[in-house]
Amino acid sequence: MSENATSLKRQAGGIIPELWSLTLNKKLDKSGVGMKIVNKIFEAEIKHYGDTVHIGELGDVTISDYSEDSSTGGVTYQRVDATTQTLKLDQSKAFGIFLSDITIQQSQIKDLQKRFEKRAKTAIDLVKDTYILSSFADIQEDNLLGTDEVPITLTKDNVYSVFSWLAMKLKENNAIENLDDTVSKDNNPKDSLPYVVINPRVESILRQSPDFVHATDAGDKLLREGSIGAIAGLDVLVSTNLPTTENKVKIMAGINDAIAFAGNISNIEVIRDEKFFGDNIRGLYVYGKKTILPNALAGAIVNVEAADTVASA
């Protein structure tokens, strides 16, 4: 019996059935970009050998004057030191889903278990995204524009200047060799454009700037998957998982080599429930990150109240 038909006083409402759609409603998930901006080169090592990787880095080589003076000339030799950083899988998340036999039989939806597992994967992806973008806290003070107390007021008139400043800081720190509005011709993620991650409110202001190159206008330029375009030589990605307080938004720019990430699905298993007819599906995911090149990150804290302003015709 349809309660809706009865409440509307339809004829014979008591015999009008209610139906459940066989198409599950699309969920409005938060967008995630974290896995597109990290270095995953160490992931294979952790999966095969353990949960910790020690990353060695050679020190700088000193350049000295050379002459053939017999007493003071010649080559000076040095012992080059090395430093070590540690990447640990120190984060763990789990999911557990009960799936009733009756639900499977009566829902008439195929692959229901796989659909639930996909929803669990989406939830984990969003947790990872927020975790990766929390690397904003590792940005060094000299590479940061604005503060929580005094954010930069972002407008369509100064948005290009803000992104140019971020690009400048990356270039000053030798994070990239060349900054312009072209993109890498090499489809190697390691050599991809430096990126900047923004949220939809910053995007709203950015799209009003004539200096923003939309992805649809990029022509034969190579943009990474998910990019909406480029500005000041930075590949623009949008996420709703950036640290945000009211109208204050944190923008993070950098290169893929700055943040090392590794993750591993330790186990997914299905267990028959002891009390009810159905299956308990559970999974465990372990992961970790390390900002190994903090100088290769730059950021800005901006006020985005201008996103609420609609220009009059």
Side-chain angles (χ1 to χ4, degrees), residues 29 34-35 39 43 58 62 69 82 90 96 125-126 133 181 194 204 209 223 237 240 252 269:
D29 296 311
M35 297 304 289
N39 177 3
E43 194 167 56
L58 293 177
T62 302
D69 185 285
D90 55 3
D125 286 344
L126 296 178
L133 294 178
D181 284 324
S204 175
S209 170
L223 299 176
L237 300 166
T240 53
M252 186 169 74
E269 56 189 14

Side-chain angles (χ1 to χ4, degrees), residues 12 58 61 73-74 97 154 167 181 183-184 186 191 193 213 222 242 264 276 282 284:
L58 293 177
V61 175
I97 304 166
L154 194 68
D181 284 324
V183 295
S184 173
D186 186 354
D191 300 324
L193 260 181
V213 180
L222 178 65
L242 281 164
N264 185 17
F276 300 100
R282 63 184 186 181
L284 175 64

Side-chain angles (χ1 to χ4, degrees), residues 78-107:
Q78 69 173 118
R79 291 182 178 271
V80 179
D81 292 328
T83 59
T84 301
Q85 299 190 65
T86 303
L87 170 60
K88 294 182 178 181
L89 268 68
D90 55 3
Q91 305 291 312
S92 58
K93 301 295 180 184
F95 68 87
I97 304 166
F98 172 72
L99 188 55
S100 166
D101 289 348
I102 296 175
T103 301
I104 294 175
Q105 292 297 323
Q106 295 185 350
S107 68

Side-chain angles (χ1 to χ4, degrees), residues 34 36-39 85 131-145 163 165-176 193-197 224 234 242 251-260 289-300:
K36 298 182 179 72
I37 64 170
V38 292
N39 177 3
Q85 299 190 65
Y131 177 61
I132 290 170
L133 294 178
S134 70
S135 299
F136 184 93
D138 298 329
I139 298 175
Q140 298 185 349
E141 186 176 353
D142 289 343
N143 290 355
L144 193 58
L145 185 64
F163 285 96
W165 187 91
L166 295 173
M168 176 192 70
K169 297 307 293 186
L170 294 178
K171 190 173 183 180
E172 284 183 344
N173 292 323
N174 298 315
I176 40 181
L193 260 181
Y195 64 82
V196 60
V197 182
R224 80 182 73 199
L234 301 173
L242 281 164
I251 299 172
M252 186 169 74
I255 61 173
N256 284 56
D257 287 339
I259 305 170
K289 70 173 177 68
K290 176 74 173 181
T291 301
I292 57 177
L293 295 175
N295 270 337
L297 292 178

Side-chain angles (χ1 to χ4, degrees), residues 35-282:
M35 297 304 289
K36 298 182 179 72
I37 64 170
V38 292
N39 177 3
K40 296 182 287 185
I41 192 172
F42 306 107
E43 194 167 56
E45 299 179 31
I46 282 183
K47 284 183 178 179
H48 294 296
Y49 297 109
D51 63 356
T52 302
V53 171
H54 295 281
I55 305 169
E57 180 180 355
L58 293 177
D60 295 330
V61 175
T62 302
I63 303 299
S64 59
D65 293 331
Y66 173 81
S67 74
E68 294 187 351
D69 185 285
S70 59
S71 59
T72 61
V75 176
T76 300
Y77 293 92
Q78 69 173 118
R79 291 182 178 271
V80 179
D81 292 328
T83 59
T84 301
Q85 299 190 65
T86 303
L87 170 60
K88 294 182 178 181
L89 268 68
D90 55 3
Q91 305 291 312
S92 58
K93 301 295 180 184
F95 68 87
I97 304 166
F98 172 72
L99 188 55
S100 166
D101 289 348
I102 296 175
T103 301
I104 294 175
Q105 292 297 323
Q106 295 185 350
S107 68
Q108 301 181 27
I109 297 175
K110 295 181 180 180
D111 301 324
L112 191 57
Q113 178 178 325
K114 290 183 178 180
R115 297 195 185 200
F116 274 115
E117 290 178 0
K118 185 177 181 180
R119 296 300 308 155
K121 177 183 179 300
T122 298
I124 289 176
D125 286 344
L126 296 178
V127 169
K128 288 192 299 183
D129 201 58
T130 301
Y131 177 61
I132 290 170
L133 294 178
S134 70
S135 299
F136 184 93
D138 298 329
I139 298 175
Q140 298 185 349
E141 186 176 353
D142 289 343
N143 290 355
L144 193 58
L145 185 64
T147 65
D148 285 322
E149 293 75 21
V150 187
I152 302 298
T153 299
L154 194 68
T155 68
K156 62 182 179 63
D157 298 320
N158 71 357
V159 64
Y160 184 78
S161 297
V162 171
F163 285 96
S164 294
W165 187 91
L166 295 173
M168 176 192 70
K169 297 307 293 186
L170 294 178
K171 190 173 183 180
E172 284 183 344
N173 292 323
N174 298 315
I176 40 181
E177 295 180 358
N178 184 33
L179 273 178
D180 53 33
D181 284 324
T182 62
V183 295
S184 173
K185 300 298 182 182
D186 186 354
N187 197 19
N188 184 344
K190 181 180 178 182
D191 300 324
S192 61
L193 260 181
Y195 64 82
V196 60
V197 182
I198 64 176
N199 83 347
R201 297 179 70 79
V202 176
E203 178 189 4
S204 175
I205 300 172
L206 176 62
R207 287 187 180 275
Q208 299 177 53
S209 170
D211 298 299
F212 174 60
V213 180
H214 297 259
T216 53
D217 299 328
D220 61 353
K221 295 178 181 179
L222 178 65
L223 299 176
R224 80 182 73 199
E225 181 183 0
S227 171
I228 65 167
I231 187 169
L234 301 173
D235 213 1
V236 182
L237 300 166
V238 181
S239 173
T240 53
N241 297 317
L242 281 164
T244 303
T245 304
E246 295 181 354
N247 275 320
K248 289 186 295 186
V249 179
K250 295 179 179 178
I251 299 172
M252 186 169 74
I255 61 173
N256 284 56
D257 287 339
I259 305 170
F261 179 91
N264 185 17
I265 297 178
S266 295
N267 200 8
I268 294 181
E269 56 189 14
V270 180
I271 306 171
R272 288 298 292 177
D273 192 89
E274 295 182 357
K275 185 176 181 180
F276 300 100
F277 289 101
D279 292 329
N280 290 314
I281 307 162
R282 63 184 186 181

